[in-house]
Amino acid sequence: MKMLFVLFLVCTLVAAAVPAPAAEKVIVDSDMVEMFDDGVAMLLLANAPEVELLGVTTVAGNSWPSEGTAFALRQLELSGLDVPVAEGASRPIRPGRVENFPLERKLFGIGADQWVGALDRPDPGDWKKFYQTYYTTEPALAPDRRHAVDFLIDTVRANPGEVTIAAIGPATNLALAILKAPDIVPMVKRVVYMGGSFFQPGNVTPAAEFNWWFDPDAARLTVRAAFREQIVVGLDVCEKVPFSRDRYEAILDVWGEGGLSDMLRNNYLGQNFASDPNYSHFIWDVITAAIIIDPSLVTGSRTHPIDVTTDYGLSYGHSLAYPTQGPEGARHATIITEIDTERFWQLLLNPDYWPK
């Protein structure tokens, strides 16, 4: 009996001496919106005990960076969180893309999804004025004074080999960071993208998925960079994860009453669920956040050299996976094709990942 006690004591001391795994250091680079999808991805990472959210950078895509910065700050305020937010690039890399967009749309056509994000409205330009007008109150938080590109560069250099970049919007900020400071590329631990559609048609055009369509030149530059690891969460997995009304209501139950729940009810998703009980949606950016938190959620993937078409024509933004050898400059990436959907929803509905 004494020997068993000694053995128990030794095991306890050894267990206590083993340090807990270090939290994954993450930067969210996002075309931020309220709630689903970018907002929930940000808040999930901010609250996950497995993650240290170092900051949020905003980029043009679903929203203008001025809008995205206001959205990010507001959601962090409602959650009682203070995470650095840096405003970033407001234009794709290709000169004149925004100005010429109406003609481009006529010439290149439209896919199954007519959503064009920020391209259907003018840029407000000033995050604070937009915040004051949109929320009819004064912000409690302010963005980092640095441009998002400089924030990315500084943060990666300060944490060499430790930072995962969750690139859940167009890749413009990341591409500009690579061009300005190519030394950061080997310092990045990995990049996890939400973008592309390799084994099925795109959504915003038959050829292209929205994020990489918004700035194909940036996407091509980043996927060709010599990062240690690149993981892509594209439509190939996202359109296998439906979001139905029962899941929506379960999230509201977990969150309880308060500002976040009100925001979810009032945005387009909540309005659609309220008007049509049979409405269904997909999940995109939140999958990226979830597999950063728990990589074991991935149940299927394929590794290929990948590339993005930047020829300005019908296939602009087309993401390509080559069976064996890609063109010179293409690099291998892991393309996620399946996740454990039930465990994904269990993670998302876990109260431990949300503000109390």
Side-chain angles (χ1 to χ4, degrees):
M1 194 71 174
K2 183 177 180 181
M3 182 62 70
L4 288 174
F5 175 75
V6 171
L7 183 60
F8 170 77
L9 184 61
V10 169
C11 291
T12 302
L13 291 172
V14 169
V18 176
E24 183 84 3
K25 295 182 178 180
V26 176
I27 297 173
V28 169
D29 186 38
S30 166
D31 51 346
M32 183 61 61
V33 298
E34 292 182 313
M35 290 293 107
F36 281 95
D37 205 17
D38 305 71
V40 173
M42 173 186 71
L43 296 177
L44 185 63
L45 290 167
N47 286 286
E50 299 90 345
V51 170
E52 178 186 356
L53 184 57
L54 300 178
V56 178
T57 51
T58 62
V59 67
N62 282 315
S63 58
W64 295 108
S66 52
E67 297 171 331
T69 298
F71 294 150
L73 291 171
R74 182 61 174 171
Q75 289 171 102
L76 291 169
E77 290 169 5
L78 292 173
S79 304
L81 300 168
D82 189 357
V83 175
V85 176
E87 187 172 326
S90 61
R91 292 291 186 276
I93 286 177
R94 178 177 288 273
R97 176 88 195 280
V98 173
E99 293 72 21
N100 295 328
F101 178 70
L103 178 60
E104 173 189 314
R105 203 65 166 150
K106 291 179 181 178
L107 294 175
F108 300 169
I110 299 173
D113 190 341
Q114 298 192 38
W115 172 250
V116 296
L119 292 174
D120 72 350
R121 59 187 184 276
D123 182 355
D126 185 300
W127 78 269
K128 189 171 184 179
K129 287 182 179 177
F130 175 79
Y131 185 108
Q132 292 167 329
T133 302
Y134 192 82
Y135 293 115
T136 65
T137 188
E138 292 295 319
L141 300 174
D144 193 281
R145 293 184 177 182
R146 288 168 289 182
H147 189 279
V149 170
D150 295 316
F151 182 90
L152 283 165
I153 294 168
D154 293 346
T155 306
V156 169
R157 283 176 174 168
N159 302 273
E162 297 182 326
V163 177
T164 291
I165 298 175
I168 60 174
T172 318
N173 285 334
L174 186 54
L176 293 175
I178 293 168
L179 292 173
K180 184 173 184 178
D183 63 288
I184 69 168
V185 172
M187 296 184 189
V188 173
K189 180 178 179 179
R190 59 179 173 165
V191 182
V192 186
Y193 302 93
M194 191 282 115
S197 183
F198 297 90
F199 311 118
Q200 66 178 58
N203 52 6
V204 70
T205 73
E209 174 275 331
F210 176 84
N211 278 351
W212 286 5
W213 163 86
F214 197 93
D215 195 344
D217 304 271
R220 185 172 192 261
L221 194 155
T222 58
V223 300
R224 284 182 165 226
F227 292 116
R228 299 181 185 189
E229 182 180 13
Q230 299 192 83
I231 299 170
V232 184
V233 177
L235 300 187
D236 308 286
V237 63
C238 296
E239 295 194 352
K240 296 175 183 176
V241 185
F243 185 12
S244 55
R245 182 170 177 170
D246 60 329
R247 303 290 194 186
Y248 163 77
E249 291 176 345
I251 291 170
L252 290 173
D253 288 341
V254 171
W255 289 359
E257 295 302 318
L260 290 178
S261 293
D262 292 342
M263 186 179 284
L264 180 54
R265 290 189 184 95
N266 292 332
N267 80 346
Y268 78 99
L269 195 58
Q271 292 172 5
N272 283 334
F273 280 128
S275 62
D276 180 3
N278 296 316
Y279 177 75
S280 184
H281 201 58
F282 288 121
I283 297 289
W284 298 281
D285 304 322
V286 180
I287 296 175
T288 307
I291 69 168
I292 289 172
I293 294 168
D294 183 0
S296 73
L297 290 173
V298 176
T299 56
S301 65
R302 296 169 64 171
T303 300
H304 294 278
I306 68 169
D307 210 358
V308 180
T309 299
T310 55
D311 295 333
Y312 196 57
L314 299 176
S315 295
Y316 193 45
H318 185 201
S319 48
L320 301 159
Y322 293 87
T324 53
Q325 179 179 329
E328 184 177 0
R331 298 186 182 276
H332 282 78
T334 300
I335 302 167
I336 307 303
T337 57
E338 302 280 347
I339 64 167
D340 187 326
T341 305
E342 286 306 311
R343 288 186 53 232
F344 165 78
W345 284 108
Q346 289 170 14
L347 185 152
L348 192 55
L349 295 171
N350 185 341
D352 293 341
Y353 289 98
W354 300 109
K356 304 298 185 289

